[in-house]
Amino acid sequence: MNIEEYIASGILELYTLGELSPTEMAEVEEMSARYPDVQQELDRIQETLQAMALQSAIAPRPALKNKILDQIGTPATTPATTEAAPVASDASPITTNNKGRQTKTVSWLQYGLAASIALAIVATLAAFYFRSQWKDTEQTLNSLQTQNLQMAQQYKTASQQVDRLSQDLAVVSNPDFQAVKMSGLDPAPNSKAQVYWNPDSRQVYLKVNEMPANPQDKQYQLWAIVDGKPVNAGLFDITGEGAQPLMTMQNISNASAFAVTLEPRGGSKSPTMEAMYVQGAVTSS
Amino acid sequence: MLRETPNSLNPQLPKHIDEPSLIVLLRQKDKHALAYLYDHYAAALNGVITRIVKVEDVAEEILQDVFIKIWDKIDTYDPDKGKLFTWMLNIARNLAIDKLRSKEFSRQNKTDQLDNNVSLISSQSYVEQKVKDSALIDLLRNLTPEQQMIVHLIYFEGYTHSEISDEFNIPLGTVKTRIRSALIKLRKILQIP
C-alpha cells in the first residue's frame, strides 16, 4: 500500500478520535509500527488536537478540583465503621457484665432508631424524587398528546376536504352532467350559482359561487322549471360568504330552467317571484 | 527516582513531570499526580465537554466523572496506542456524547424541541449561527466554511464522522478528507512542527 495515500485518506484522524472499528484500529496500529511516517503523522494529529483543546479551554469552577480529589481520596467504606465501633466498646471492657449488656441494648436501640429515621428520610426523598420525575414525564406526555390530537384533527379536516373536493370534481368533470349557469337578479345582482344536472340519472347538484347569507327565518329554495311549471328541487342555507361546497339537491327530470328564491324557513309550494335571486336556462346540447 | 515514593511523596510535585513518570505515579494511585493532571488539563477537557453538552453544570458533572474514570482505569491505558491526553480526550468526548444521548438529558430538552421545528443549517451560514465562542472563532477563522463546519461538528458537537455523512449528506470519504485538511490547517495555525 502507498503510505502517502494511506495517510491522506484521513484514517489516522479517525483513529485518534476513537471512531474506528477494532479491525481498522489494529490495522492502523500495525501500519504505525511498520512505518515511521505513519507514526509521525499520528503524533502530529494528537498534538494538534491537544493544542486545539488547550487553546479553547474553559476553566471549571475552582471548587471542582477538591471535590474530585476528595472523591478519589480515601476508600469510602472504612471511616463509617471505625466511627461506629467506639460507642459500643466504650463501656463494656471496664464495667460489669450487666451494665455492659444494658448499654449494648441501649446502643442497639439507638442504632435501630437512627436506622429507621434514616430510612424514613431516604424514603421521603425518594418519594419526592420519583414524584418530580413522574411529573416531568407526565408533562412531556401531555404536551405530546396535545400535539398528537391537534395533528389528528388537522389530518381529519384535511382528509374531509380532500374527500369533498374529489366528490365535487367527480361531478364537475363528468360529461354526463350539464352545467346550468344561473345569474343574479334584482334582490342581489352579484349573485352567481350553477346547477350540475344529469338528465339521465336525474341527479342535481348545486354550486353557489356568490349569494348573500339568508336570514334565520328564511331559506333558499331551488326550483326546476318542468313543462313550464316550477318544481321544488330542495332547500338550502347560505351562512358564509363566497363559494360554498357542492350541495346535493333533489332529483329532477326534464328541466328547462333552474331558479333560486328566498322563502320562509321550510320552503313554499310555489316560488315567490319577487324574491328570485338567480336563474338560468338549460342549454340544450 | 519517582518510582519508590508511593505515599511519602512530597505534596508539591515538580512544575513539569514527563508523561511516562506521570503515568507511573497515576498507576501507583498518587493523588498528587491526579492533581497535576487536573491543573494542566481540566480546563482543556472541560472546554471540549462544555461545547458538546452546552450546560455548565452538566459539563462539570461529566468532568468529575472523567477524572474518576482516569483514576480508576489508568491501568487500561496503553501508551503504545496514543498519548495520555488523547486517551483522556476520548474519555471526555465519549462521556459527553453519552450524556447528550441519554434519556434523562433529552427529556430536559424535549419541550424545547417540540416547539422548534426543523432547522436547516447550511455550511455557509454555519459559523455565524453556531459558533458564538471567541476562542473557537479565533482558532477556526482561517479555515474554509466546510472545514469549520466539520471541525465544529466532530470536535465540539460530538458528531461521529458517519453521523455527519448521514445527516448532511456528505460522502464518508469527503468527510474524512475534510477532517484531515482541516487538521492540517489547524496544525499550521497552532504552529505544530
Side-chain angles (χ1 to χ4, degrees):
Chain A
M1 190 186 287
N2 182 336
I3 293 307
E4 272 163 35
E5 271 176 32
Y6 187 73
I7 292 174
S9 73
I11 193 169
L12 302 182
E13 282 78 3
L14 295 188
Y15 175 83
T16 309
L17 289 165
E19 286 188 23
L20 294 182
S21 69
T23 344
E24 290 170 312
M25 278 172 72
E27 183 195 300
V28 171
E29 279 154 20
E30 198 196 311
M31 294 293 281
S32 74
R34 205 177 331 157
Y35 301 100
D37 283 357
V38 173
Q39 183 56 54
Q40 195 190 6
E41 189 63 22
L42 273 176
D43 287 345
R44 278 185 185 151
I45 293 164
Q46 295 190 57
E47 274 163 35
T48 309
L49 289 176
Q50 176 170 349
M52 245 173 98
L54 286 169
Q55 190 91 2
S56 57
I58 298 172
R61 272 176 288 216
L64 194 68
K65 181 179 174 183
N66 283 331
K67 204 171 155 196
I68 291 173
L69 292 176
D70 285 350
Q71 228 176 334
I72 56 145
T74 39
T77 44
T78 41
T81 43
T82 45
E83 255 172 48
V87 185
S89 55
D90 246 355
S92 55
I94 317 155
T95 51
T96 60
N97 271 352
N98 247 350
K99 259 192 175 173
R101 201 166 286 157
Q102 216 170 21
T103 40
K104 257 190 184 156
T105 334
V106 169
S107 64
W108 278 117
L109 277 174
Q110 283 171 340
Y111 282 136
L113 192 63
S116 49
I117 291 172
L119 190 69
I121 293 173
V122 168
T124 316
L125 289 178
F128 274 113
Y129 174 73
F130 285 118
R131 188 182 146 77
S132 79
Q133 291 259 306
W134 165 66
K135 279 273 182 194
D136 283 359
T137 317
E138 204 183 33
Q139 241 171 29
T140 316
L141 182 68
N142 278 344
S143 102
L144 283 171
Q145 277 175 336
T146 316
Q147 250 204 351
N148 199 3
L149 201 70
Q150 284 169 351
M151 301 245 296
Q153 277 165 350
Q154 282 170 1
Y155 170 75
K156 203 175 150 195
T157 321
S159 77
Q160 278 173 346
Q161 264 169 355
V162 168
D163 279 352
R164 209 168 54 206
L165 283 173
S166 57
Q167 275 171 18
D168 291 6
L169 189 66
V171 171
V172 171
S173 61
N174 188 340
D176 293 337
F177 276 90
Q178 255 181 288
V180 182
K181 231 172 139 178
M182 298 187 293
S183 11
L185 299 167
D186 271 341
N190 289 332
S191 295
K192 238 170 101 181
Q194 284 194 78
V195 163
Y196 292 93
W197 174 50
N198 185 338
D200 299 322
S201 69
R202 303 168 56 234
Q203 285 168 291
V204 176
Y205 291 92
L206 176 65
K207 172 88 189 169
V208 173
N209 302 91
E210 183 62 53
M211 268 176 92
N214 53 286
Q216 277 274 303
D217 57 333
K218 298 204 165 165
Q219 251 180 327
Y220 285 114
Q221 192 165 7
L222 178 69
W223 304 93
I225 311 301
V226 180
D227 299 326
K229 286 179 193 156
V231 174
N232 172 38
L235 296 158
F236 63 94
D237 287 278
I238 300 292
T239 48
E241 275 181 20
Q244 306 292 316
L246 203 64
M247 291 180 278
T248 314
M249 307 307 287
Q250 291 177 16
N251 287 3
I252 293 290
S253 41
N254 299 323
S256 59
F258 286 95
V260 173
T261 59
L262 189 65
E263 302 293 344
R265 182 158 288 276
S268 304
K269 287 252 163 76
S270 55
T272 314
M273 296 311 282
E274 47 284 306
M276 189 177 284
Y277 275 66
V278 290
Q279 76 142 26
V282 176
T283 50
S284 44
S285 49
Chain B
M1 175 199 100
L2 288 164
R3 207 168 281 255
E4 292 305 313
T5 52
N7 282 325
S8 59
L9 189 88
N10 186 333
Q12 289 300 310
L13 281 177
K15 276 247 166 71
H16 180 80
I17 315 176
D18 60 80
E19 206 165 294
S21 314
L22 190 61
I23 293 160
V24 170
L25 289 173
L26 284 170
R27 293 215 164 121
Q28 292 169 346
K29 300 290 177 205
D30 187 313
K31 238 175 133 176
H32 300 298
L34 196 78
Y36 177 91
L37 211 58
Y38 186 94
D39 290 340
H40 285 78
Y41 302 115
L45 297 175
N46 193 47
V48 172
I49 297 165
T50 305
R51 289 187 180 89
I52 293 175
V53 299
K54 315 278 188 275
V55 186
E56 198 184 346
D57 290 350
V58 178
E60 287 187 3
E61 252 171 58
I62 296 170
L63 186 64
Q64 195 170 338
D65 293 346
V66 170
F67 274 92
I68 287 164
K69 199 158 182 183
I70 292 170
W71 181 255
D72 289 342
K73 302 275 165 156
I74 186 68
D75 287 333
T76 68
Y77 163 64
D78 180 355
D80 290 342
K81 295 192 174 177
K83 288 162 60 98
L84 182 61
F85 183 81
T86 307
W87 182 68
M88 299 194 300
L89 175 67
N90 282 332
I91 290 177
R93 197 166 163 254
N94 290 337
L95 286 180
I97 294 173
D98 287 350
K99 184 73 181 182
L100 197 65
R101 292 175 189 167
S102 70
K103 271 190 186 154
E104 190 197 346
F105 197 74
S106 57
R107 181 173 56 81
Q108 286 170 3
N109 292 355
K110 192 154 277 174
T111 23
D112 300 338
Q113 284 169 11
L114 282 179
D115 304 329
N116 276 342
N117 285 322
V118 192
S119 58
L120 281 176
I121 305 152
S122 67
S123 61
Q124 282 81 4
S125 61
Y126 191 83
V127 177
E128 297 101 85
Q129 283 182 8
K130 276 282 188 181
V131 190
K132 283 171 188 149
D133 181 331
S134 63
L136 256 189
I137 290 174
D138 281 350
L139 200 56
L140 302 184
R141 183 175 290 148
N142 292 319
L143 273 57
T144 67
E146 286 82 10
Q147 290 169 341
Q148 293 185 2
M149 173 182 163
I150 233 132
V151 169
H152 192 71
L153 288 176
I154 288 250
Y155 199 57
F156 295 109
E157 294 278 353
Y159 279 74
T160 65
H161 69 293
S162 45
E163 284 169 343
I164 295 180
S165 169
D166 286 350
E167 198 158 315
F168 297 87
N169 242 330
I170 306 170
L172 262 184
T174 311
V175 176
K176 285 198 234 173
T177 49
R178 262 187 212 170
I179 298 173
R180 176 160 174 77
S181 68
L183 283 184
I184 288 174
K185 222 174 225 184
L186 280 166
R187 181 190 297 173
K188 282 178 195 144
I189 295 166
L190 293 161
Q191 294 172 344
I192 289 159

